[in-house]
Amino acid sequence: MSALTDQTPQAIIDALDVLLEEERGALTNGELDKLEGILARKEDLFDQLNSMTDIDHGALDSVQSKVSRNQALLGSAMQGIKAVANRMAELRKVRKGLDVYNRSGQRTSFATTGSLKLEKRA
């Protein structure tokens, strides 16, 4: 448990609010490596809130909207990662060869020959 164990529900909600802003910043800045640590801290805060009985549920409204916002951002980040992975897979296929269709609809394969290095021009 963290140092917030003996604090009031509002103090934990405030800490969660700050953490959700940190999570938003990591998502919008592409700092996905920070998400694992944030998730662990967020789970700890949620566990503490779940163990409390005297929570003002109205105080959780802003936190709930931030959780929903961050979830949408995380979904978008996942879509971006999948798009990059798909594009890289397509590029690997092209490096191995190219499949095209001729006028009669027959599939024709062309093997890649020569160097597979990328040429960078200024």
Side-chain angles (χ1 to χ4, degrees):
M1 287 276 173
S2 71
L4 297 173
T5 304
D6 297 326
Q7 292 199 11
T8 66
Q10 188 58 50
I12 295 172
I13 291 170
D14 292 344
L16 184 58
D17 190 72
V18 169
L19 186 60
L20 289 169
E21 285 300 322
E22 182 181 338
E23 181 180 52
R24 178 182 181 272
L27 287 166
T28 56
N29 293 326
E31 298 169 332
L32 303 180
D33 56 317
K34 292 183 177 181
L35 294 180
E36 186 177 357
I38 291 172
L39 177 63
R41 293 174 15 222
K42 193 165 60 168
E43 285 175 345
D44 183 44
L45 291 171
F46 278 126
D47 287 345
Q48 290 178 52
L49 281 177
N50 287 332
S51 68
M52 296 183 167
T53 56
D54 57 338
I55 298 174
D56 174 20
H57 292 286
L60 291 174
D61 288 342
S62 71
V63 170
Q64 175 59 39
S65 66
K66 288 182 181 185
V67 167
S68 297
R69 175 200 63 198
N70 288 1
Q71 195 65 30
L73 288 171
L74 187 56
S76 295
M78 290 301 296
Q79 286 177 340
I81 290 168
K82 286 178 184 177
V84 168
N86 289 339
R87 181 68 179 142
M88 290 178 74
E90 289 173 11
L91 290 172
R92 278 192 296 276
K93 279 185 195 177
V94 169
R95 277 191 221 138
K96 291 178 184 175
L98 182 63
D99 291 338
V100 295
Y101 294 93
N102 62 21
R103 286 186 216 169
S104 61
Q106 298 288 327
R107 187 171 164 174
T108 305
S109 294
F110 294 99
T112 304
T113 58
S115 173
L116 296 178
K117 291 182 182 177
L118 226 65
E119 182 179 330
K120 186 175 180 180
R121 296 183 182 191

